[in-house]
Each structure stands twice: as structure tokens, then as C-alpha cells.
Amino acid sequence: MALVTSTEMFKKAYEGGYAIGAFNVNNMEIIQGIIEAAKAEKSALILQVSAGARKYASPIYLKKLVEAAVQDSGLDIVLHLDHGENFEICKQCVDDGFTSVMIDASHLPFEENIRVTKEVVEYAHAHGVVVEAELGRLAGVEDAVNVSEKDASFTDPDQAVEFVERTGIDSLAIAIGTSHGAYKFKGEPRLDFERLDIITKKLPGFPLVLHGASSVLPEFVELCNKYGGEIPGAQGVPEDMLRKAAKSGVCKINIDTDLRLAMTAAIRKHFVEHPGDFDPRKYLGPAREAIKGMVQHKIRNVLGSSNTSL
Ligand code: G3H
Ligand code: 13P
Ligand code: ZN
């Protein structure tokens, strides 16, 4: 049991045709819910921390909670920086003991993206840390990640090959139609599997990453709607599409919004049913259970990573 890099996990996932879930963490209940699920499924696991999460919880708390999770669970876990926007934050996380960082310079022109990514790779690799980078841009709005539809663009397969060769990264996040948040498609959900197929063929054996991969399951949207404010028009990536991607070189699938929905639905339900409660444990307990249920479902039915812990 330890904090590990994703190198071995991705190798096994690629060969086995499954993906590792990378779940965003912001507080203790979220971490515990995810850990309970991974433990029950004996699954390989990536816990990822965004800049927004670091700001919310303060870096030291999240790091110590993840260390506690490793000790308590006996699992090997990757601690990953999600969407590091510059060299500085990546360096900080490497220095803080993360085992994986993402440099997201996908908003910069190609050559600039390469330059910044290479700088992070040099520093991270010198410290035994692996690097994910992004080429192409996902649409979507979250706390620290905000890209309008008109600024989004799919990954060019030839550029992907050049990018991987010139930067020396360990995994590549690609844009094939997913987006961040709860509003992913206006009409019929569609991912560009042809593009994924070409990228996989041009980069055989190389681990690809899918961001914006929540499925925004209707039953959770309905629960949120039933017990509180409406989330009209929410739509996610159908789970069968994620299973298909996991069989085609996608080794890491990022999930945050589905955890947010599960947690929020549980808390809203609790307060509708017990309006007089004011002990946080009374509503954070069910929220933690809801996270566990969601993650266990993903591991078993979507990612296919049960019984893969190292
Ligand atoms: O892709 C972004 C993650 O879902 C994290 O979102 O920046 O609101 O923490 P955040
Ligand atoms: P979702 O918003 O679809 O959960 O995506 C999360 C993500 O990509 C984190 O990097
Ligand atoms: Zn993302």
C-alpha cells in the first residue's frame, strides 16, 4: 500500500481493455466514500485534486486525508493534480508528494503547449512523477475550468503523435466530444469514436485520458429535481460509450459531476425528510454512502476495473 504513479496501472488497463476511474476529491466524506467503493471492488484508483479543491480545502488537508486513505485502505492509490494551469502549480504538487500531475496548457497555441508541457515533464520526471497533458479543448464550465463552446476543439490525431513524441508525457487527454459539467450535449449524445480509433492506432499502447466523462444519470437528476432546485436539460455521456472508449486505449476516465449529483441528491433528500436536523453527520453520512454507491457502480459496470488493485 502506497501512493504510486499510474505507469503500471495504465499498462494493465490498456492490456485488459478497462479504464481506471479518476475521481475528484474535495473533502473527507468524498474521499472516504470513494475509498470504501474501491476497497469493496478491489479496484485500482486515482484520486484527483483540482486547483479549486486545493483552494477550498487547503492543500495540506487533502494530502493528509489521501495519506490516511492509503493507510486505512491498504490500496495503492495515485494522487493526481487535475488541470494544473501552469508550471508553478505542477511544481508545487510534485514537491508536495503527488505521484501524477496534469499540465493543462491546451488553451495555448500548439508550440506553446509543447514548451510548457515539456518544462513540467522535465521537472516531474526528475522527481519520479508522471505527467498527463491535453491536446484539443473540451467545452464546459466548472469552478476553475471554463471553456465556451466556440473555443472547444477536437484533438488532431497527427498533432497528438507529434505532441507525445516532443513532450515525453506519460498520458494524453483528448477531446472527442465530451465536456465538463452537467450539460454535455444539446441533442443526441455523440462521441467521435472514429477519431479515437485513429489516435489509438497512431499511438499504439499509449494511455489516453477522457475528461468530462460523467454520465449525469437521469435517476440522480430526478432526485435532485424532486428534492430541491431543478437541473433542467442536464445530459451526460452514455455509459455504454464510456465502456467502448475503455476498450480503445482510454485508460483513465475522469468523473466529478456524477459525484456532485449523488452527494447533492442525498443531502437534499435528507433535509426534505428530516427538516429539523442540524447535526452535519446526519446528512454527510448519507452523502458519503451515496458517493460510495456511485463509485462502486462506475467501477463495476462502467470502467470494468473490479479486482485490478495492484
Ligand atoms: O474538470 C474539472 C473538475 O471537475 C474540477 O472542477 O475546478 O470545480 O474543482 P473544479
Ligand atoms: P465531469 O464534469 O464530466 O465529471 O468531468 C470531470 C473531469 O474531467 C475532471 O477533470
Ligand atoms: Zn477535466
Side-chain angles (χ1 to χ4, degrees), residues 83 138-149 178-184 212 256-257 260:
H83 293 284
L138 272 66
V141 181
E142 285 179 276
D143 186 357
V145 182
N146 186 337
V147 182
S148 72
E149 245 175 79
T178 61
S179 64
H180 291 109
Y183 305 93
K184 300 193 192 292
D256 187 3
T257 299
R260 295 178 180 195

Side-chain angles (χ1 to χ4, degrees), residues 240-282:
D240 58 336
M241 290 192 186
L242 297 173
R243 273 195 293 275
K244 188 170 161 184
K247 292 190 167 62
S248 309
V250 171
C251 295
K252 174 173 178 271
I253 289 189
N254 285 11
I255 297 168
D256 187 3
T257 299
D258 278 340
L259 304 189
R260 295 178 180 195
L261 288 171
M263 193 169 195
T264 303
I267 293 173
R268 284 187 183 175
K269 181 170 184 285
H270 183 85
F271 277 117
V272 168
E273 290 172 355
H274 309 276
D277 269 356
F278 54 86
D279 177 346
R281 294 170 296 191
K282 292 267 169 40

Side-chain angles (χ1 to χ4, degrees), residues 112-125:
E112 266 298 278
N113 189 354
I114 289 184
R115 189 190 63 72
V116 178
T117 300
K118 257 176 94 166
E119 202 184 348
V120 172
V121 168
E122 268 160 37
Y123 189 80
H125 282 184

Side-chain angles (χ1 to χ4, degrees), residues 24 48 82-83 102 104 132 134 138 142 145 173 179-180 210-213 252 254:
N24 286 75
Q48 57 186 12
D82 192 26
H83 293 284
M102 175 191 191
D104 182 359
E132 170 189 329
E134 179 166 325
L138 272 66
E142 285 179 276
V145 182
S179 64
H180 291 109
L210 211 55
H211 282 246
K252 174 173 178 271
N254 285 11

